Amino acid sequence: MSDTVAKLTIGDKTYEFPVLSGTVGPQVIDIRSLYAQTGMFTYDPGFTSTAATDSSITYIDGDKGELMYRGYPIAQLAEKSNYLEVCYLLLYGELPDTAQMADFTERVTRHTMLHEQMHLFYRGFRRDAHPMAIVCGVVGAMAAFYHDSTDINDPMQREIASIRMVAKIPTIVAMAYKYSVGQPFVYPRNDLDYASNFLRMCFSVPAEEYVVNPVVARAMDLIFTLHADHEQNASTSTVRLAGSSDANPFACIAAGVACLWGPAHGGANEAALNMLKQIGTPDRIPEFVAKAKDKNSGFRLMGFGHRVYKNYDPRATVMQQTAKEVLGMLGVENNPLLQVAQELEHIALTDPYFIDRKLYPNVDFYSGIILEAIGFPTSMFTAIFALSRTVGWISQWKEMIADPQTKIGRPRQLYQGSVERAYVGIDKR
Ligand code: CMC
């Protein structure tokens, strides 16, 4: 509990609310008794000032541009760790020792195949379906195939569902890709690491083996790591809200995938690359910057700005460096998109409009350039984000289910509609 109280005066009455502290970051005013005490609600569309939960998983200091998973700075994890180890860290709270890592890797690796009947499910989609539409549907359908891990009150079933989600999501996403290009599905291979296996499932064909380039595999692993979790963002909050009704984990993750799809969230990587292509050459940048500053244009610089970061997104720093490395390794360091991106970043960061609003490149600004260089079409970008974020969603879902304070999420509203009125028959209207 807290020693500090916040006082709220309404008319001639003053109410007191406890102020709670986390281990780091802003304190919160505990307003759970507000309605009971005052008969009023708070009003916070977009949750700009609302902490919806306690969490011990991810911490962001948006002003400093810091991101930590379980206390470890993202730059250290990006440099020294790997995605599967980060998955363990997010799911269980600590870095694994050698035996724990071997056991976890074994469990994930042994769950990578999909129920064979799910292949038929894919074939029901149109060939030109967006991969996110397929991923959303297939993840939701997992509840129909894996009944033995849908009882959320059984910790063992929750654990198995978590492993299944982390293990199968690369297979699900790769199959969505294969389906869209009319190629046969490629089964997972258990002798490959997580990222290499995903790349092979996407790019190998029966007629020709795909030799995984270690630089590309490392870049893929980094993209997964940098997107693995991001505290209570829109899709994670969606997963938590869906889970708060005790819905099964597969349904909850499908809800997260749906929310991630939007261009203001995970869809921004696809939109950012399309924008860079549309700009085409550095001489057209001023035209697009002017459009982004014009409120009537409805246009925003995609891959710029963030609700929480009011400084350079630390993930974008790693992404920018990785983009240079991957393009260098592939011999395309003069890639025009990278040049447009770097020039656009430079111009935007020296423009008072962007400086005043603290708009910096976010993770999605450079990730698309890497993914395109690897060979993915833009339609796959958000699906790869969903793959990476699945472990974050499932970690947050597990944390919520295990928390005895969890209640069904039920926001209230400021009603602006008609007051009570009598029904009028159609002949009298
Ligand atoms: N280009 C131009 N102006 C912008 C941009 C942008 N990308 N982003 C924000 N602004 C302006 C906005 O018009 C507003 O100006 P004013 O104060 O004059 O009205 C001000 O900056 C604040 O914007 P906001 O919409 O109130 O900020 P928000 O916190 O609600 O939105 C955001 C955050 C990420 C939705 C927004 O910055 C945006 O739409 N960015 C482009 C999409 C994007 O890159 N999204 C990926 C986010 S990172 C990956 C993820 O987490 O999914």
Side-chain angles (χ1 to χ4, degrees):
M1 276 310 276
S2 94
D3 299 335
T4 323
V5 291
K7 291 185 181 172
L8 172 68
T9 303
I10 305 170
D12 57 359
K13 286 202 175 134
T14 297
Y15 307 91
E16 293 193 349
F17 302 94
V19 174
L20 309 180
S21 302
T23 47
V24 60
Q27 295 179 301
V28 301
I29 304 168
D30 178 354
I31 53 148
R32 280 175 288 184
S33 66
L34 179 76
Y35 182 61
Q37 285 198 61
T38 67
M40 291 185 188
F41 300 130
T42 55
Y43 180 65
D44 185 20
F47 308 114
T48 52
S49 301
T50 296
T53 184
D54 292 52
S55 183
S56 310
I57 301 176
T58 293
Y59 176 74
I60 302 173
D61 185 325
D63 294 324
K64 290 192 195 147
E66 283 177 357
L67 166 64
M68 296 187 288
Y69 297 161
R70 302 281 191 187
Y72 296 101
I74 192 67
Q76 285 182 30
L77 293 171
E79 187 194 337
K80 299 180 178 156
S81 185
N82 60 68
Y83 182 68
L84 219 48
E85 187 178 63
V86 164
C87 287
Y88 186 101
L89 175 68
L90 290 169
L91 284 166
Y92 306 112
E94 297 296 337
L95 287 168
D97 62 24
T98 309
Q100 287 166 330
M101 190 61 210
D103 174 61
F104 180 65
T105 306
E106 168 80 5
R107 280 189 295 143
V108 170
T109 307
R110 297 275 171 202
H111 278 91
T112 47
M113 282 174 64
L114 280 194
H115 192 292
E116 194 65 14
Q117 225 175 317
M118 289 184 92
H119 292 208
L120 299 175
F121 190 71
Y122 274 80
R123 295 187 198 285
F125 288 100
R126 278 172 58 137
R127 285 278 173 194
D128 59 356
H130 194 286
M132 281 298 275
I134 300 183
V135 172
C136 194
V138 174
V139 170
M142 283 178 77
F145 286 89
Y146 301 102
H147 301 284
D148 59 345
S149 50
T150 52
D151 178 358
I152 64 139
N153 297 312
D154 178 348
M156 184 54 80
Q157 293 205 24
R158 298 204 296 265
E159 172 64 15
I160 295 170
S162 308
I163 296 288
R164 280 190 167 138
M165 274 311 321
V166 173
K168 292 184 201 304
I169 191 72
T171 316
I172 292 172
V173 172
M175 283 172 66
Y177 173 61
K178 282 303 199 193
Y179 189 72
S180 71
V181 289
Q183 292 178 2
F185 298 134
V186 174
Y187 288 92
R189 273 250 313 261
N190 288 357
D191 58 333
L192 294 176
D193 63 73
Y194 195 87
S196 302
N197 181 44
F198 174 65
L199 288 165
R200 184 181 166 278
M201 284 193 290
C202 289
F203 297 124
S204 88
V205 288
E208 201 170 305
E209 190 47 48
Y210 173 76
V211 181
V212 183
N213 180 319
V215 177
V216 170
R218 175 73 187 135
M220 195 74 251
D221 194 82
L222 266 179
I223 288 177
F224 293 162
T225 299
L226 295 176
H227 288 88
D229 195 46
H230 215 226
E231 53 118 307
Q232 310 310 320
N233 56 83
S235 57
T236 302
S237 298
T238 300
V239 170
R240 280 184 176 263
L241 198 55
S244 77
S245 74
D246 291 352
N248 73 73
F250 306 115
C252 298
I253 303 301
V257 176
C259 178
L260 186 78
W261 196 355
H265 192 6
N269 51 15
E270 182 175 344
L273 197 86
N274 287 336
M275 178 193 75
L276 293 175
K277 284 183 177 166
Q278 219 187 334
I279 297 175
T281 48
D283 58 300
R284 295 194 62 207
I285 292 173
E287 178 195 327
F288 280 79
V289 170
K291 213 159 91 168
K293 288 156 62 175
D294 174 7
K295 293 270 175 273
N296 299 322
S297 71
F299 172 79
R300 286 187 166 195
L301 280 191
M302 299 315 287
F304 259 80
H306 199 274
R307 169 61 62 78
V308 182
Y309 293 120
K310 299 303 167 197
N311 202 325
Y312 210 98
D313 179 341
R315 302 168 300 171
T317 317
V318 182
M319 269 317 169
Q320 187 191 37
Q321 187 52 36
T322 309
K324 284 186 193 153
E325 279 166 25
V326 171
L327 298 184
M329 185 276 302
L330 296 173
V332 287
E333 55 270 57
N334 294 327
N335 179 309
L337 292 179
L338 184 63
Q339 286 173 355
V340 170
Q342 285 176 320
E343 185 61 16
L344 176 60
E345 177 184 337
H346 174 71
I347 291 177
L349 293 185
T350 48
D351 186 309
Y353 174 94
F354 292 88
I355 295 170
D356 293 349
R357 289 168 182 73
K358 299 187 174 157
L359 298 171
Y360 292 85
N362 59 50
V363 67
D364 291 327
F365 192 61
Y366 285 104
S367 62
I369 295 173
I370 304 172
L371 291 173
E372 184 174 81
I374 293 176
F376 288 106
T378 45
S379 61
M380 277 292 287
F381 293 3
T382 313
I384 290 170
F385 191 159
L387 183 176
S388 323
R389 183 57 58 83
T390 293
V391 71
W393 290 329
I394 204 90
S395 304
Q396 301 265 354
W397 172 82
K398 274 179 86 182
E399 181 179 68
M400 181 189 71
I401 300 291
D403 181 353
Q405 292 202 63
T406 296
K407 280 172 173 286
I408 187 167
R410 178 52 169 96
R412 303 305 295 255
Q413 63 175 8
L414 177 62
Y415 178 67
Q416 301 281 24
S418 181
V419 293
E420 184 176 335
R421 48 185 169 164
Y423 178 82
V424 180
I426 195 162
D427 53 328
K428 303 239 166 38
R429 282 177 229 153

